[in-house]
Amino acid sequence: MKDFLKDLEDESFVIFYGSQLGQAKSIAEGLVDVAEEYDFKTKAFELNAIKDVNDLTKLTCPIVIVTSSTGDGEPPENADKFWRKIRKKNLSATTLQSLKYTLLGLGDTNYNNFCNCGKVINRRLQDLSASTFHPPAWADDATGLELVVDEWIENLWPALETLIRPDSNQSITTMSKTTLTVPSCPAVSLKLEWTEDGGGDATCASKVDLRNPLTPYPLIDGDPVPVKLTKARILSRFGALKTALELTVGFTEESFKFEPGDAINIICPNPVNEVNRLLERLQLLTKAGRTLQLSVKQGAKGKIPVFLPATVTLRDAFLYYFDIRSCPKKTFIRLLAEHTSEENEKSKLLELCSRQGSSAFEETIRFASLSLLDLLLTFQSCMPPLEALLEHLPRLVPRAYSISSSPLSSDKEFTFAFNVVTFSKENGRQYERLGVCTGWLSQRSRVLLNKNSKELGLENASSDLEAAMSALTIDGEESDSVSNEEIIVYRRKNQNFRLPEDIKAPIIMLGPGTGIAPFIGFIQHRDNLKKKGDSIGEMCLYFGCRYKAKDFLYEDELKALEGGALTKFYPVFSRDDPQTTVKYVQHRMEENKKAVIDTLFNQGGYLYVCGDAKNMAKDVRDVLIKCVQSVKEVTEGEAKTLVAELSTQKRYLQDIWS
Ligand code: FAD
């Protein structure tokens, strides 16, 4: 990582970002692009480019920090060194008295420590006497980052103007396009040429080396390894709202080790049919098999995407490297508007990306998770040049799945469970589809299920199997042609979501839906230890789902484990009894509040929360605070502090996703 000081010229301000999945980086880069329009000179660096906190005193200009948080409020990988340095106690309280800064934190209120990385950095900057020139803001992915980000950016420019050019009469208000405040159009600095090889083969994809990505994937822990899917099992039953599957993964690489609580990241491609449809809409299908040659236009500032191999065909670029499904951001919609010829369509796109159109953007784009193809099918006169897409589409990133088995059961295979994500053709979505990764995995599961059922003589499938098979089918998708070849996975960096080292420590687990997965691994693990004669701590499990008869995942296994390693098991069903007020895991936990508080505060126990339910993690925390308040007879504030202490001691751990 380069030292930012060596790269400075006469910047008006300097931007630093801490970015795990690219959001903060892309905001920082967007600021660099727009700054020029306001006549500011700036550069963006990773936070880790600050080699010494004292280097900030050498700056004569203000700084802007944009940072996300990962896991339970940890810093992103490219901000971790700075995070450690700025938290050092030996820094003098006046170290940064000359520094002016502002900060934008990105976070998700579903997690315990919302925007923790940004908040800690902000607090430390204040402790070290730095002062803000524009109020820090905290954007929440649970409600839509853009709601806060847009306003913060809009007010950043006048704040910089006042600070940097106080005598200027220039007043920056909005960048208007008629009466709308729209982001500036992202520059297109790539030049595209085609090599004369290949041809227009519309169906086949060339071999791509996914094992050796040019730049590391996020949260990588160990090398990507090839594995084989060996078995599929349906966990949900007939009539379940979501089809849940379990896959068994076999591997031979000695280097691949895992522990209960670990997750794997699966490297998956986009669906071939969707890529072809997108290329067709862009009138590029005939060039799909040709190799791209990208360069940066002379004098332009952009970069060729660092993750894209130098020689790649157009189809492979869209299949393996670009996220063609991700919900377009406002700046991307601005880019599409630039290339839309029909006036009504252009106005609509401009409205959607404008500040005034924020609620329309939330309702029509974000809520429905529209894809690029949805927009291109809706706005028929939009024809963005390929270079623009290649420069501004985000990278396709691997998807995470919690391992649901213990290496003590087998160290050559593991299992994981997932819900097949389905998107119906409604709410502006122009085509029916499955989730990128779960759709791809479900194609493979279908092949394995067919094979398994033939082997077991179940060709006349049971209703569960039939229902699951039909849920795994999208009209027009190739399916059974998918062979059971290798897939590439890697172990995801684990943010402390592991069993306690002390095997006697009692634990409480809350895992609704597929959130149960890592806990199956936990219980299996201690069950193995118990069978070996070790004395293990209590394990209490709270599992929740809609209907007992439809989506009680791992019912048989859990019942078999109950009374053994699994000391207490509390399932709860939200839809079976409309009268009941005990619907969710947190309600069940509240019923046992005395035991829960005793485990956590008198026995040094651990609380684990895992799952995807929106707001679930927040609701669990609120109920836990209520339980502490009531059982320990303390004020709400004191209860919050006690719960926060559990988090700090890494005894309140979450693995949640939305
Ligand atoms: P994508 O194509 O990425 O689509 C998912 C996106 O669509 C999400 O943004 C979602 O909010 C949105 N969406 C979903 N349904 C709809 C809808 N009907 N309408 C509008 N928008 C919608 N998942 C599991 O199933 N099991 C696990 O054990 C598991 N463990 C995880 C562990 C970690 C640490 C993390 C971070 C995630 C985990 N996940 C798990 C989630 C998983 O990684 C994927 O996000 C999920 O499977 C969807 O991937 P996909 O590619 O199929 O969907």
Side-chain angles (χ1 to χ4, degrees):
M1 168 45 40
K2 63 181 169 192
D3 179 345
F4 81 97
L5 280 178
K6 296 198 177 118
D7 215 15
L8 287 188
E9 290 160 79
D10 54 342
E11 273 67 29
S12 329
F13 67 98
V14 182
I15 305 170
F16 294 102
Y17 60 85
S19 192
Q20 191 65 57
L21 297 174
Q23 301 249 48
K25 184 175 183 212
S26 113
I27 293 174
E29 288 174 347
L31 292 178
V32 174
D33 289 343
V34 181
E36 213 172 75
E37 294 174 22
Y38 291 108
D39 228 3
F40 291 126
K41 199 168 167 201
T42 187
K43 276 191 179 144
F45 301 90
E46 296 180 357
L47 273 162
N48 281 349
I50 306 172
K51 300 284 172 210
D52 182 336
V53 175
N54 286 301
D55 287 349
L56 292 173
T57 62
K58 296 178 189 153
L59 286 175
T60 50
C61 64
I63 66 166
V64 172
I65 298 176
V66 184
T67 185
S68 59
S69 301
T70 70
D72 251 347
E74 320 286 334
E77 282 167 293
N78 55 15
D80 56 353
K81 294 190 182 75
F82 174 70
W83 159 271
R84 281 198 293 276
K85 282 173 195 150
I86 197 157
R87 289 162 81 217
K88 281 196 177 141
K89 295 272 178 331
N90 60 359
L91 290 167
S92 141
T94 52
T95 305
L96 298 179
Q97 61 186 348
S98 59
L99 184 73
K100 299 261 188 300
Y101 77 98
T102 185
L103 188 148
L104 173 66
L106 310 182
D108 186 329
T109 44
N110 284 306
Y111 289 76
N112 256 347
N113 289 312
F114 172 60
C115 279
N116 189 51
C117 176
K119 286 186 175 171
V120 168
I121 292 176
N122 184 45
R123 204 164 50 236
R124 284 301 287 152
L125 289 172
Q126 293 284 318
D127 293 346
L128 302 174
S129 303
S131 52
T132 52
F133 67 89
H134 173 46
W138 317 109
D140 182 3
D141 206 16
T143 52
L145 291 175
E146 261 129 340
L147 292 178
V148 169
V149 173
D150 286 357
E151 192 175 341
W152 182 84
I153 292 180
E154 194 182 329
N155 294 323
L156 172 68
W157 306 115
L160 280 166
E161 182 70 24
T162 311
L163 181 71
I164 297 169
R165 295 185 284 244
D167 301 330
S168 129
N169 287 329
Q170 197 180 340
S171 105
I172 295 177
T173 46
T174 59
M175 305 185 44
S176 67
K177 189 107 194 167
T178 64
T179 55
L180 296 175
T181 312
V182 295
S184 66
C185 184
V188 179
S189 36
L190 294 188
K191 195 168 115 196
L192 170 69
E193 283 160 303
W194 301 91
T195 54
E196 284 309 317
D197 59 351
D201 182 345
T203 51
C204 73
S206 61
K207 265 272 173 248
V208 164
D209 185 7
L210 295 175
R211 221 186 138 166
N212 294 300
L214 282 184
T215 43
Y217 287 115
L219 295 166
I220 192 157
D221 183 9
D223 292 329
V225 296
V227 297
K228 273 204 161 196
L229 300 176
T230 55
K231 214 165 92 191
R233 184 156 76 107
I234 308 160
L235 298 175
S236 50
R237 306 233 178 86
F238 182 75
L241 186 70
K242 296 177 188 166
T243 301
L245 298 169
E246 183 195 68
L247 280 167
T248 303
V249 177
F251 58 93
T252 47
E253 297 235 351
E254 290 301 317
S255 58
F256 189 82
K257 303 266 181 274
F258 68 98
E259 283 183 48
D262 281 343
I264 40 142
N265 270 7
I266 297 186
I267 301 172
C268 59
N270 287 304
V272 183
N273 290 358
E274 192 168 330
V275 168
N276 285 338
R277 207 166 160 199
L278 178 62
L279 293 178
E280 192 177 11
R281 167 65 183 79
L282 294 167
Q283 298 174 4
L284 287 167
L285 199 51
T286 52
K287 291 187 168 166
R290 291 178 68 179
T291 304
L292 302 169
Q293 265 198 335
L294 287 170
S295 56
V296 178
K297 286 182 205 155
Q298 216 171 12
K301 276 204 302 198
K303 281 195 217 120
I304 299 171
V306 285
F307 51 84
L308 195 64
T311 44
V312 64
T313 64
L314 172 59
R315 179 180 291 104
D316 284 349
F318 276 176
L319 266 178
Y320 299 105
Y321 297 100
F322 289 103
D323 189 347
I324 58 167
R325 265 294 180 81
S326 67
C327 185
K329 304 252 175 311
K330 282 188 172 182
T331 45
F332 193 81
I333 294 179
R334 176 70 187 83
L335 180 73
L336 295 183
E338 198 66 14
H339 300 283
T340 301
S341 53
E342 210 270 302
E343 265 318 306
N344 278 342
E345 292 190 347
K346 187 177 184 123
S347 313
K348 183 72 196 151
L349 284 169
L350 285 172
E351 188 198 328
L352 283 169
C353 69
S354 71
R355 180 146 148 60
Q356 293 80 354
S358 278
S359 47
F361 174 82
E362 284 302 311
E363 280 158 28
T364 49
I365 309 278
R366 230 177 83 90
F367 171 73
S369 272
L370 295 194
S371 65
L372 168 63
L373 184 54
D374 285 322
L375 290 180
L376 292 177
L377 293 173
T378 308
F379 298 95
Q380 286 289 336
S381 73
C382 177
M383 191 54 93
L386 180 57
E387 302 84 299
L389 299 180
L390 297 177
E391 188 164 351
H392 294 289
L393 276 173
R395 182 184 195 178
L396 178 61
V397 289
R399 308 299 204 252
Y401 296 92
S402 310
I403 290 179
S404 60
S405 59
S406 157
L408 297 182
S409 299
S410 168
D411 62 356
K412 282 283 164 272
E413 62 177 28
F414 61 81
T415 54
F416 68 96
F418 62 98
N419 279 326
V420 182
V421 175
T422 54
F423 299 87
S424 53
K425 187 178 165 186
E426 59 179 345
N427 296 329
R429 291 189 291 261
Q430 302 294 313
Y431 56 105
E432 186 189 9
R433 56 205 181 240
L434 302 177
V436 171
C437 189
T438 55
W440 182 65
L441 290 173
S442 71
Q443 283 189 6
R444 279 147 196 276
S445 306
R446 209 163 41 189
V447 176
L448 287 166
L449 284 167
N450 262 331
K451 198 169 139 238
N452 295 162
S453 61
K454 276 185 196 136
E455 279 167 12
L456 295 170
L458 296 174
E459 282 100 330
N460 298 328
S462 70
S463 49
D464 289 348
L465 183 60
E466 266 172 34
M469 292 289 216
S470 72
L472 307 183
T473 311
I474 287 289
D475 281 350
E477 279 220 337
E478 289 155 43
S479 56
D480 296 340
S481 61
V482 181
S483 66
N484 186 23
E485 64 206 22
E486 284 176 344
I487 66 166
I488 311 287
V489 306
Y490 63 87
R491 201 176 56 198
R492 186 183 160 97
K493 251 189 198 153
N494 189 319
Q495 322 263 5
N496 304 306
F497 202 82
R498 292 243 167 89
L499 275 167
E501 271 179 32
D502 175 6
I503 61 168
K504 290 192 185 134
I507 68 170
I508 300 169
M509 302 163 281
L510 286 90
T514 45
I516 185 81
F519 302 138
I520 298 290
F522 279 9
I523 302 165
Q524 240 184 45
H525 200 72
R526 280 199 175 175
D527 190 51
N528 278 294
L529 293 172
K530 191 173 170 177
K531 283 182 182 143
K532 268 184 19 205
D534 287 339
S535 141
I536 57 164
E538 280 206 345
M539 303 185 91
C540 288
L541 174 68
Y542 293 84
F543 168 77
C545 64
R546 290 156 71 93
Y547 297 101
K548 184 174 190 297
K550 296 179 188 172
D551 33 27
F552 192 165
L553 313 182
Y554 291 105
E555 181 178 3
D556 296 339
E557 285 88 335
L558 288 168
K559 285 190 173 153
L561 287 161
E562 201 179 351
L566 179 58
T567 326
K568 290 196 180 100
F569 179 35
Y570 301 101
V572 59
F573 309 100
S574 60
R575 306 292 164 97
D576 276 340
D577 174 5
Q579 308 302 328
T580 184
T581 51
V582 181
K583 287 186 183 300
Y584 303 118
V585 282
Q586 64 271 21
H587 302 145
R588 214 62 169 107
M589 177 178 79
E590 195 175 8
E591 288 187 326
N592 300 319
K593 61 185 174 190
K594 280 206 176 115
V596 169
I597 301 307
D598 184 53
T599 303
L600 297 179
F601 292 95
N602 301 330
Q603 301 179 42
Y606 289 66
L607 183 81
Y608 295 86
V609 183
C610 179
D612 70 341
K614 260 237 169 313
N615 298 325
M616 179 272 293
K618 222 178 342 174
D619 294 344
V620 167
R621 184 179 52 213
D622 290 347
V623 169
L624 181 66
I625 290 168
K626 235 170 92 188
C627 295
V628 174
Q629 200 184 342
S630 133
V631 176
K632 288 178 110 32
E633 296 178 4
V634 292
T635 64
E636 190 186 342
E638 287 164 336
K640 280 186 176 161
T641 308
L642 287 167
V643 168
E645 278 168 14
L646 282 181
S647 292
T648 322
Q649 295 163 8
K650 309 280 180 220
R651 291 197 294 120
Y652 179 5
L653 296 156
Q654 301 187 117
D655 209 2
I656 51 171
W657 60 90
S658 47

